[in-house]
PDB file of all heavy atoms in Angstrom:
ATOM      1  N   LEU A 131      41.227 -23.442  51.546  1.00 97.00           N
ATOM      2  CA  LEU A 131      42.219 -22.689  52.363  1.00 97.00           C
ATOM      3  C   LEU A 131      41.502 -21.503  53.064  1.00 97.00           C
ATOM      4  O   LEU A 131      41.922 -21.107  54.170  1.00 97.00           O
ATOM      5  CB  LEU A 131      43.345 -22.174  51.438  1.00 97.00           C
ATOM      6  CG  LEU A 131      44.481 -21.409  52.100  1.00 97.00           C
ATOM      7  CD1 LEU A 131      45.096 -22.313  53.196  1.00 97.00           C
ATOM      8  CD2 LEU A 131      45.508 -21.053  51.104  1.00 97.00           C
ATOM      9  N   ARG A 132      40.490 -21.011  52.471  1.00 97.00           N
ATOM     10  CA  ARG A 132      39.662 -19.921  53.185  1.00 97.00           C
ATOM     11  C   ARG A 132      39.104 -20.521  54.412  1.00 97.00           C
ATOM     12  O   ARG A 132      38.986 -19.757  55.486  1.00 97.00           O
ATOM     13  CB  ARG A 132      38.567 -19.424  52.247  1.00 97.00           C
ATOM     14  CG  ARG A 132      38.977 -18.390  51.243  1.00 97.00           C
ATOM     15  CD  ARG A 132      37.868 -17.532  50.757  1.00 97.00           C
ATOM     16  NE  ARG A 132      38.341 -16.466  49.884  1.00 97.00           N
ATOM     17  CZ  ARG A 132      38.525 -16.568  48.599  1.00 97.00           C
ATOM     18  NH1 ARG A 132      38.175 -17.717  48.002  1.00 97.00           N
ATOM     19  NH2 ARG A 132      38.986 -15.596  47.829  1.00 97.00           N
ATOM     20  N   MET A 133      38.701 -21.760  54.434  1.00 97.00           N
ATOM     21  CA  MET A 133      38.162 -22.416  55.595  1.00 97.00           C
ATOM     22  C   MET A 133      39.170 -22.414  56.745  1.00 97.00           C
ATOM     23  O   MET A 133      38.820 -22.261  57.944  1.00 97.00           O
ATOM     24  CB  MET A 133      37.651 -23.821  55.369  1.00 97.00           C
ATOM     25  CG  MET A 133      36.460 -23.887  54.493  1.00 97.00           C
ATOM     26  SD  MET A 133      34.984 -23.250  55.409  1.00 97.00           S
ATOM     27  CE  MET A 133      33.719 -23.855  54.244  1.00 97.00           C
ATOM     28  N   TYR A 135      41.256 -20.141  57.474  1.00 97.00           N
ATOM     29  CA  TYR A 135      41.266 -18.792  58.076  1.00 97.00           C
ATOM     30  C   TYR A 135      39.915 -18.496  58.794  1.00 97.00           C
ATOM     31  O   TYR A 135      39.921 -17.846  59.884  1.00 97.00           O
ATOM     32  CB  TYR A 135      41.490 -17.670  57.080  1.00 97.00           C
ATOM     33  CG  TYR A 135      42.865 -17.620  56.485  1.00 97.00           C
ATOM     34  CD1 TYR A 135      43.288 -18.428  55.463  1.00 97.00           C
ATOM     35  CD2 TYR A 135      43.781 -16.616  56.891  1.00 97.00           C
ATOM     36  CE1 TYR A 135      44.567 -18.364  54.960  1.00 97.00           C
ATOM     37  CE2 TYR A 135      45.075 -16.504  56.343  1.00 97.00           C
ATOM     38  CZ  TYR A 135      45.460 -17.392  55.343  1.00 97.00           C
ATOM     39  OH  TYR A 135      46.708 -17.328  54.839  1.00 97.00           O
ATOM     40  N   THR A 136      38.834 -18.830  58.162  1.00 96.00           N
ATOM     41  CA  THR A 136      37.509 -18.387  58.582  1.00 96.00           C
ATOM     42  C   THR A 136      36.825 -19.316  59.554  1.00 96.00           C
ATOM     43  O   THR A 136      36.712 -19.099  60.748  1.00 96.00           O
ATOM     44  CB  THR A 136      36.608 -18.112  57.427  1.00 96.00           C
ATOM     45  OG1 THR A 136      36.541 -19.279  56.590  1.00 96.00           O
ATOM     46  CG2 THR A 136      37.219 -16.931  56.542  1.00 96.00           C
ATOM     47  N   ASN A 185      48.211 -14.329  48.637  1.00 94.00           N
ATOM     48  CA  ASN A 185      47.397 -13.535  49.515  1.00 94.00           C
ATOM     49  C   ASN A 185      48.147 -12.444  50.300  1.00 94.00           C
ATOM     50  O   ASN A 185      47.681 -11.368  50.385  1.00 94.00           O
ATOM     51  CB  ASN A 185      46.628 -14.515  50.499  1.00 94.00           C
ATOM     52  CG  ASN A 185      45.563 -13.777  51.278  1.00 94.00           C
ATOM     53  OD1 ASN A 185      44.548 -13.449  50.820  1.00 94.00           O
ATOM     54  ND2 ASN A 185      45.855 -13.591  52.596  1.00 94.00           N
ATOM     55  N   MET A 233      40.165 -10.499  44.438  1.00 94.00           N
ATOM     56  CA  MET A 233      38.901  -9.875  44.832  1.00 94.00           C
ATOM     57  C   MET A 233      38.526 -10.049  46.265  1.00 94.00           C
ATOM     58  O   MET A 233      37.928  -9.175  46.878  1.00 94.00           O
ATOM     59  CB  MET A 233      37.729 -10.327  43.947  1.00 94.00           C
ATOM     60  CG  MET A 233      37.816  -9.861  42.496  1.00 94.00           C
ATOM     61  SD  MET A 233      36.320 -10.193  41.582  1.00 94.00           S
ATOM     62  CE  MET A 233      36.239 -11.972  41.627  1.00 94.00           C
ATOM     63  N   ARG A 234      38.939 -11.196  46.822  1.00 94.00           N
ATOM     64  CA  ARG A 234      38.554 -11.488  48.209  1.00 94.00           C
ATOM     65  C   ARG A 234      39.704 -12.197  48.913  1.00 94.00           C
ATOM     66  O   ARG A 234      40.060 -13.331  48.456  1.00 94.00           O
ATOM     67  CB  ARG A 234      37.270 -12.348  48.219  1.00 94.00           C
ATOM     68  CG  ARG A 234      36.757 -12.603  49.663  1.00 94.00           C
ATOM     69  CD  ARG A 234      35.270 -13.041  49.626  1.00 94.00           C
ATOM     70  NE  ARG A 234      35.079 -14.280  48.906  1.00 94.00           N
ATOM     71  CZ  ARG A 234      35.042 -15.449  49.453  1.00 94.00           C
ATOM     72  NH1 ARG A 234      35.091 -15.550  50.775  1.00 94.00           N
ATOM     73  NH2 ARG A 234      34.894 -16.578  48.682  1.00 94.00           N
ATOM     74  N   SER A 235      40.224 -11.629  49.944  1.00 94.00           N
ATOM     75  CA  SER A 235      41.334 -12.196  50.635  1.00 94.00           C
ATOM     76  C   SER A 235      40.998 -13.523  51.281  1.00 94.00           C
ATOM     77  O   SER A 235      39.779 -13.801  51.483  1.00 94.00           O
ATOM     78  CB  SER A 235      41.914 -11.289  51.656  1.00 94.00           C
ATOM     79  OG  SER A 235      41.013 -11.073  52.710  1.00 94.00           O
ATOM     80  N   LEU A 236      41.914 -14.375  51.568  1.00 95.00           N
ATOM     81  CA  LEU A 236      41.645 -15.660  52.198  1.00 95.00           C
ATOM     82  C   LEU A 236      40.974 -15.609  53.535  1.00 95.00           C
ATOM     83  O   LEU A 236      40.333 -16.532  53.918  1.00 95.00           O
ATOM     84  CB  LEU A 236      42.931 -16.482  52.273  1.00 95.00           C
ATOM     85  CG  LEU A 236      43.605 -16.921  51.035  1.00 95.00           C
ATOM     86  CD1 LEU A 236      44.953 -17.549  51.198  1.00 95.00           C
ATOM     87  CD2 LEU A 236      42.683 -17.862  50.184  1.00 95.00           C
ATOM     88  N   ASP A 237      41.123 -14.466  54.263  1.00 91.00           N
ATOM     89  CA  ASP A 237      40.447 -14.344  55.501  1.00 91.00           C
ATOM     90  C   ASP A 237      39.021 -13.859  55.375  1.00 91.00           C
ATOM     91  O   ASP A 237      38.347 -13.600  56.345  1.00 91.00           O
ATOM     92  CB  ASP A 237      41.233 -13.483  56.512  1.00 91.00           C
ATOM     93  CG  ASP A 237      41.327 -12.014  56.066  1.00 91.00           C
ATOM     94  OD1 ASP A 237      40.746 -11.665  55.028  1.00 91.00           O
ATOM     95  OD2 ASP A 237      42.053 -11.270  56.632  1.00 91.00           O
ATOM     96  N   GLY A 238      38.524 -13.740  54.074  1.00 81.00           N
ATOM     97  CA  GLY A 238      37.159 -13.445  53.819  1.00 81.00           C
ATOM     98  C   GLY A 238      36.845 -11.990  53.526  1.00 81.00           C
ATOM     99  O   GLY A 238      35.731 -11.722  53.069  1.00 81.00           O
ATOM    100  N   GLY A 239      37.865 -11.088  53.672  1.00 67.00           N
ATOM    101  CA  GLY A 239      37.622  -9.661  53.359  1.00 67.00           C
ATOM    102  C   GLY A 239      37.694  -9.370  51.894  1.00 67.00           C
ATOM    103  O   GLY A 239      38.457 -10.007  51.150  1.00 67.00           O
ATOM    104  N   ALA A 240      36.882  -8.465  51.446  1.00 47.00           N
ATOM    105  CA  ALA A 240      36.875  -8.030  50.014  1.00 47.00           C
ATOM    106  C   ALA A 240      37.991  -6.982  49.847  1.00 47.00           C
ATOM    107  O   ALA A 240      38.210  -6.127  50.715  1.00 47.00           O
ATOM    108  CB  ALA A 240      35.534  -7.456  49.628  1.00 47.00           C
ATOM    109  N   HIS A 241      38.711  -7.049  48.783  1.00 41.00           N
ATOM    110  CA  HIS A 241      39.773  -6.124  48.453  1.00 41.00           C
ATOM    111  C   HIS A 241      39.195  -4.764  48.069  1.00 41.00           C
ATOM    112  O   HIS A 241      38.050  -4.661  47.548  1.00 41.00           O
ATOM    113  CB  HIS A 241      40.680  -6.644  47.289  1.00 41.00           C
ATOM    114  CG  HIS A 241      41.947  -5.866  47.196  1.00 41.00           C
ATOM    115  ND1 HIS A 241      42.021  -4.758  46.411  1.00 41.00           N
ATOM    116  CD2 HIS A 241      43.185  -6.039  47.754  1.00 41.00           C
ATOM    117  CE1 HIS A 241      43.312  -4.318  46.531  1.00 41.00           C
ATOM    118  NE2 HIS A 241      43.989  -5.089  47.304  1.00 41.00           N
TER     119      HIS A 241
END
Side-chain angles (χ1 to χ4, degrees):
L131 185 55
R132 279 201 175 92
M133 290 293 191
Y135 289 81
T136 57
N185 188 72
M233 288 192 298
R234 185 163 61 97
S235 66
L236 291 173
D237 64 7
H241 194 270

